[in-house]
Amino acid sequence: MSTQDVTLKPLVIELFKQLGLYNQASNLVNDAVKDYNPATVSRLLKKHQIGFSVKKPSDKTLQLTVHPFLVVPENAPAFIAKRQGDKFEQLHNNQWQSVDITQLDDSTFIFTIDVLPNTKKSIQAFAAHMSKHTKWYKPVFWLSLLSSLTGLAVPLFTMAVYDRVIGGQAPDILPSIALGGVLAISVLISTRLARAKVLASTSNRLARDLSQLTFYRLLHMPLMVLSRVGISNHIARMRNAEKVRMLLSGPGGGGLVDLPFTLIALFAIMFLSGWLVLVPIGMLILYYLVMKVVNRYVQAASPTVSGEYQNALSELAKNLLQLKAAGDTDGWQTKFMRQCKENSRQNFLYAKRNGLNAAIAHSLSLFTALITVFTGIFLVLNQSISPGALIACVMMIWRITGPAQMAFSSKQKFTMMDVAVKQFDRFMQASTEQSELRLDTPDSSKAPTVSFQHVTLRYKAEGEPALSGVNVDIDAGELVAVIGPNACGKSTLLLSALGVLEAQAGFVTVNGKNLKQYDTEIFRHWVGYSPSQPDIFPGTLAENVRIAKPDATDEEIKAAIVAAGGASFLTSINHNLNIDLLGENNAMLAAIEGSYINLARALIKHSPLLLLDEPLPHRNPQSKQQLISTLLALKGHSTVIFTSHDQDLIKQADKVIVLDKGAVVFAGPIPDDAPPSQSQTDMQESPING
C-alpha cells in the first residue's frame, strides 16, 4: 500500500461533498473500510452510479471537465482539483489554490466525473463507453493512410518498368526503381503489422471493459430479475463483447478500415487514366445494388430454430437429474433430434446462400477488372494512356473491389454488432439494487430487531405466493426457529430478511428501518448468512472461508469451523487450511462438510444478525451439540433466525415461526408442555428446506 492510500478516504468523502452528494458522503463515513486505493475509488464510484473516466495529466480533455475531480499521484499526496477557466485549482485546507496539473508525470491517476447519479443516463451506453477509447483512432488513421499510399508502389513500379525500362529501353534505371519499390513495400508491411497490433489491442481492451461492465451489472441486479431471465441469457450478454473483437480484429477488421481509403486508389486511377475511373465507380454502384439484393436473399434463410436448439441443451443441463430419474427420456430425445435435424437443415441452407453471396462478390470483382482491361485497351490504342498505366490501373482495381467485397460480406457482422450494441444499451438501463436512496448503514454495536410487515412475495406472477401476508416481530438478541413443511417459504423468508428477494407487497425492517433504506453491499457484508446448499468455490479451505472476512486469521478460520460443528472435519484434513477443496483428491467433498464451510462463513463475521438456512443437515451428535452450544452462546448478543427440522435444535429457540403455504400459522414461544405435533414429526424426516 502506498503512502497516499490512508488519505484517500477523506478525500473521496470531500469529493462527494463537493459534488453535492452529501448522503453518499455520509455513507462513506460509516464504511468499515479504512484504507482506500485507486481500485477502491473506482469501485465506489461505480457503486454509487457516478460516471467517471481515468485520465492522465497530459490528456487535453481535462480542459473540458465540469465537476471537481480527484488527482492521485504515485509518489505524492493525492488532492481534489477543479477547472477554473483555462487553469486548475486544488483544494487545500478548504481553500482553492492554483495548481499546474501538467507538471505531474503520467503515472498519476486522475478520476474525472462525467455523470452524477441524479443525472438522466444516456441510452447510448455503448457509444458513451466507446468515446472514451479515442487514442486508437489517430494511429489507425495515419497508419492506414500510409499503408494505402505505399500500397500504390507495386502498380506504379510495374508502370515504370513497362513505360520507362521496356518502352524507353533504359535498363540502367531498373535498380533504382526496384530499390524504391522494396522500400515502399517494407513500409507497407510495417504499417500493416503496426495497425493490426493497434486494432487487436483496442478490440481486446474494449471487449474486456464491456465484459467487466456487464459482469459488474449482473452482480448488482436484483436476484428476482436474474433468476427470471435465466443463466443462458446472462452468458449471452457476457459473450456480446466478443462480437466487438470479431469486428475490429483480424483481416476482416483491416479490410473494413481500408474501405474509406479506396478513394486514394480511385484518385490514382483518375490521375493515370482520366475517364477510365468511371468504370470502377460504375461497378461499385452495380456492386452495391446486386449485393443488397443478394444479402436480402441470404438473410431470408437465417436459422430460426437455433434459439430453441440452444434452449434444449440448456434444459438438458438444468433438468438432467429429473430426466434420468424419470427413466423415460424417449419423448425428450425425439423432440431434441427433431430440433437438431431442423437446425442442421437451416444452417446448411444459410451456409449455401452465404457461399452464393461470396461467389457473386468474387465474380463482380473479376468482371470489374475485365471491363477495365477492355475499356483501357481502346484508350491505349488511341494513345490516351500508356500500356503501363493500364496495367497499373488494373492492379489498383483490386485495392477498390477487395475492401468493397469485404464490406458487403461483413453485412452479417454489422447486423450482429448492431443487435449486440442495442442489447448492451438496454441492459445498462436495467435497474440495479443500489440507488442514491439506499445509503443507510446498520448499527454494528448491538443485536437488531427484525420485523416482517405484511410481506407477500411471488416468484412468478401466475404462481402461488411463496410468502403471503407475513406479519412477525423479532426482538433483539432472540434465537428464532422458522419451521414448517417443505416448500412452505422458510428459505424465502430468510432471503427476504437478507434483502436479496424484494417483496411485491409489504416490507422488512431492521432496527425500525426499511431494508430498502440500507446500502445493499454494506448490509449484506454486515449480515451473517448460511444457505442450505453448500457453496464451494475453487480454491483452498482458507480462501473459501475468507470470502466472508478477507482479513481473517488462520486461528479465526479454525475457530469458526469448530463453532460450526466441524471439529471432526478439521481433524480429518490435519488442520490444513490450504487444502484444495475442488482438487482431484477432494472432488467428492461431502455436502455435510460443505455445510460446515457455509456456516463458518456466517459465524466468522461475528455479526449481530445471523440468518441460517438448515444449519444442521444429518449431523453427528457431537456436531449437533457443538452447534447448539454456539447458538446458545449467541443468545442476547446476536439476533439469530434459522430454519430447521431438528427437534433438539428447535427447542433451543426463544420463538418459533410456523409457516404453511407461505402464511404464518403460529409465531411465539414454544409451549413448555406441548408434545411434538404430527406435522413436526413429518418435518423432522426430511432435511430439504422449503
Side-chain angles (χ1 to χ4, degrees):
M1 185 176 65
S2 58
T3 56
Q4 76 267 22
D5 287 351
V6 179
T7 62
L8 276 185
K9 182 172 182 178
L11 280 175
V12 175
I13 294 172
E14 182 60 35
L15 176 64
F16 277 37
K17 291 180 180 178
Q18 291 293 327
L19 296 172
L21 305 176
Y22 296 101
N23 290 333
Q24 288 86 338
S26 299
N27 177 265
L28 296 185
V29 171
N30 297 323
D31 191 352
V33 179
K34 296 181 179 179
D35 300 338
Y36 287 176
N37 55 38
T40 310
V41 174
S42 175
R43 180 184 63 81
L44 287 172
L45 293 174
K46 288 180 182 178
K47 171 185 171 181
H48 292 286
Q49 302 180 33
I50 301 173
F52 69 98
S53 301
V54 180
K55 300 178 179 178
K56 297 297 182 183
S58 57
D59 197 323
K60 295 181 180 179
T61 58
L62 286 176
Q63 295 290 341
L64 304 176
T65 54
V66 177
H67 306 289
F69 52 86
L70 180 65
V71 182
V72 187
E74 184 177 13
N75 298 311
F79 58 90
I80 297 172
K82 70 175 182 180
R83 180 179 61 85
Q84 187 67 32
D86 295 332
K87 298 181 179 180
F88 295 96
E89 296 180 345
Q90 108 175 59
L91 186 63
H92 182 70
N93 294 330
N94 293 323
Q95 298 290 328
W96 291 101
Q97 302 175 356
S98 296
V99 62
D100 189 356
I101 299 290
T102 59
Q103 296 300 315
L104 299 172
D105 57 48
D106 272 353
S107 63
T108 301
F109 293 102
I110 299 180
F111 292 86
T112 60
I113 308 302
D114 303 327
V115 181
L116 296 178
N118 57 351
T119 306
K120 186 177 180 180
K121 304 294 190 304
S122 170
I123 61 173
Q124 297 181 335
F126 180 87
H129 186 76
M130 188 73 174
S131 65
K132 297 179 181 180
H133 296 267
T134 56
K135 292 183 178 180
W136 67 281
Y137 294 146
K138 289 183 179 179
V140 167
F141 172 81
W142 291 112
L143 288 171
S144 298
L145 179 61
L146 186 58
S147 172
S148 298
L149 291 174
T150 53
L152 301 176
V154 173
L156 295 178
F157 167 74
T158 305
M159 183 183 71
V161 170
Y162 269 89
D163 292 345
R164 300 186 61 185
V165 178
I166 299 176
Q169 299 294 317
D172 54 308
I173 65 172
L174 183 60
S176 58
I177 294 176
L179 179 61
V182 169
L183 291 175
I185 293 174
S186 300
V187 174
L188 171 65
I189 294 174
S190 301
T191 53
R192 287 296 180 97
L193 290 174
R195 189 184 68 178
K197 183 177 180 180
V198 173
L199 287 174
S201 174
T202 301
S203 61
N204 287 332
R205 188 182 301 113
L206 184 60
R208 177 201 66 192
D209 292 347
L210 294 179
S211 295
Q212 289 178 349
L213 286 172
T214 304
F215 188 73
Y216 179 86
R217 199 79 176 183
L218 285 171
L219 284 178
H220 291 81
M221 287 182 68
L223 183 63
M224 291 284 281
V225 175
L226 295 177
S227 59
R228 193 180 305 124
V229 174
I231 188 65
S232 59
N233 287 309
H234 303 324
I235 295 174
R237 289 191 177 104
M238 295 294 294
R239 289 178 176 170
N240 271 345
E242 297 299 319
K243 298 173 183 177
V244 179
R245 182 184 290 117
M246 290 166 51
L247 187 68
L248 291 179
S249 60
L256 294 176
V257 171
D258 280 333
L259 188 60
F261 296 94
T262 56
L263 292 173
I264 294 177
L266 283 172
F267 281 120
I269 293 174
M270 183 175 65
F271 178 77
L272 294 176
S273 61
W275 293 107
L276 187 62
V277 73
L278 294 178
V279 174
I281 292 176
M283 290 305 298
L284 281 177
I285 296 173
L286 177 64
Y287 201 98
Y288 171 77
L289 296 175
V290 172
M291 294 308 296
K292 190 173 182 180
V293 175
V294 173
N295 277 330
R296 190 177 303 166
Y297 175 69
V298 172
Q299 291 303 317
S302 297
T304 58
V305 76
S306 56
E308 297 177 11
Y309 176 71
Q310 293 297 328
N311 288 337
L313 294 176
S314 300
E315 183 182 342
L316 174 63
K318 185 169 61 175
N319 301 321
L320 181 60
L321 177 60
Q322 291 86 338
L323 287 169
K324 293 179 72 68
D328 183 11
T329 60
D330 290 344
W332 186 90
Q333 188 173 1
T334 302
K335 174 185 175 183
F336 176 75
M337 292 302 294
R338 184 168 61 249
Q339 290 176 339
C340 183
K341 182 178 179 180
E342 179 62 19
N343 185 62
S344 298
R345 187 192 69 81
Q346 291 185 6
N347 277 295
F348 170 74
L349 179 61
Y350 187 66
K352 186 172 69 172
R353 293 192 180 184
N354 263 322
L356 176 64
N357 187 348
I360 292 175
H362 188 63
S363 300
L364 286 173
S365 298
L366 292 174
F367 194 45
T368 303
L370 286 174
I371 294 178
T372 304
V373 170
F374 285 115
T375 305
I377 288 174
F378 291 102
L379 295 176
V380 171
L381 294 176
N382 291 331
Q383 297 185 352
S384 298
I385 61 173
S386 66
L390 174 60
I391 295 173
C393 290
V394 173
M395 295 178 70
M396 282 187 282
I397 287 295
W398 300 107
R399 297 191 59 81
I400 299 172
T401 58
Q405 183 178 347
M406 180 69 68
F408 285 112
S409 63
S410 300
K411 179 68 165 57
Q412 184 184 5
K413 287 185 179 181
F414 282 116
T415 302
M416 293 172 57
M417 183 67 184
D418 183 59
V419 172
V421 168
K422 290 178 179 177
Q423 287 180 346
F424 180 80
D425 288 343
R426 286 196 300 269
F427 176 65
M428 294 306 290
Q429 297 306 307
S431 299
T432 60
E433 292 180 307
Q434 187 67 30
S435 72
E436 60 268 23
L437 302 177
R438 305 189 69 155
L439 298 173
D440 285 342
T441 54
D443 186 358
S444 301
S445 62
K446 60 181 180 179
T449 59
V450 180
S451 180
F452 298 85
Q453 300 291 326
H454 310 287
V455 175
T456 298
L457 189 149
R458 295 174 186 266
Y459 287 99
K460 296 181 179 179
E462 65 277 6
E464 293 294 326
L467 296 176
S468 179
V470 173
N471 248 332
V472 175
D473 293 323
I474 298 172
D475 294 332
E478 279 192 324
L479 184 61
V480 179
V482 183
I483 63 176
N486 296 328
C488 68
K490 300 188 294 294
S491 296
T492 304
L493 187 74
L494 294 189
L495 290 175
S496 64
L498 185 61
V500 171
L501 298 179
E502 290 190 2
Q504 287 84 21
F507 54 90
V508 182
T509 66
V510 174
N511 277 335
K513 289 184 179 180
N514 193 317
L515 279 188
K516 293 183 179 181
Q517 295 177 253
Y518 286 106
D519 182 299
T520 54
E521 184 177 328
I522 295 176
F523 181 80
R524 289 173 196 161
H525 185 75
W526 172 72
V527 176
Y529 172 67
S530 173
S532 59
Q533 298 299 323
D535 287 329
I536 307 301
F537 299 90
T540 65
L541 173 59
E543 290 170 343
N544 265 268
V545 178
R546 284 195 177 105
I547 290 174
K549 188 179 180 183
D551 58 348
T553 64
D554 288 353
E555 294 306 317
E556 285 180 304
I557 293 173
K558 292 178 181 179
I561 295 175
V562 170
S568 58
F569 170 54
L570 271 181
T571 303
S572 67
I573 61 173
N574 296 321
H575 292 256
N576 180 16
L577 298 181
N578 295 319
I579 185 172
D580 187 357
L581 296 180
L582 297 182
E584 293 183 2
N585 298 327
N586 306 294
M588 299 301 293
L589 186 71
I592 295 177
E593 295 165 343
S595 64
Y596 291 139
I597 299 171
N598 270 0
L599 190 53
R601 289 194 194 112
L603 296 176
I604 201 170
K605 291 184 176 182
H606 302 290
S607 171
L609 176 60
L610 288 172
L611 306 173
L612 313 178
D613 199 354
E614 283 294 343
L616 195 64
H618 297 303
R619 297 261 178 98
N620 57 54
Q622 291 82 5
S623 296
K624 178 191 290 190
Q625 191 55 48
Q626 175 59 60
L627 180 58
I628 290 174
S629 300
T630 299
L631 294 180
L632 292 176
L634 290 170
K635 271 189 179 183
H637 302 286
S638 297
T639 302
V640 183
I641 308 174
F642 68 92
T643 68
S644 183
H645 296 90
D646 188 278
Q647 292 296 320
D648 293 331
L649 202 60
I650 294 171
K651 289 178 181 178
Q652 312 304 319
D654 300 310
K655 180 186 294 182
V656 294
I657 301 172
V658 183
L659 295 178
D660 187 23
K661 296 181 180 180
V664 176
V665 177
F666 173 80
I670 303 176
D672 295 334
D673 55 350
S677 65
Q678 182 62 37
S679 63
Q680 290 174 328
T681 304
D682 293 339
M683 287 185 286
Q684 189 173 359
E685 293 176 356
S686 174
I688 303 174
N689 190 22

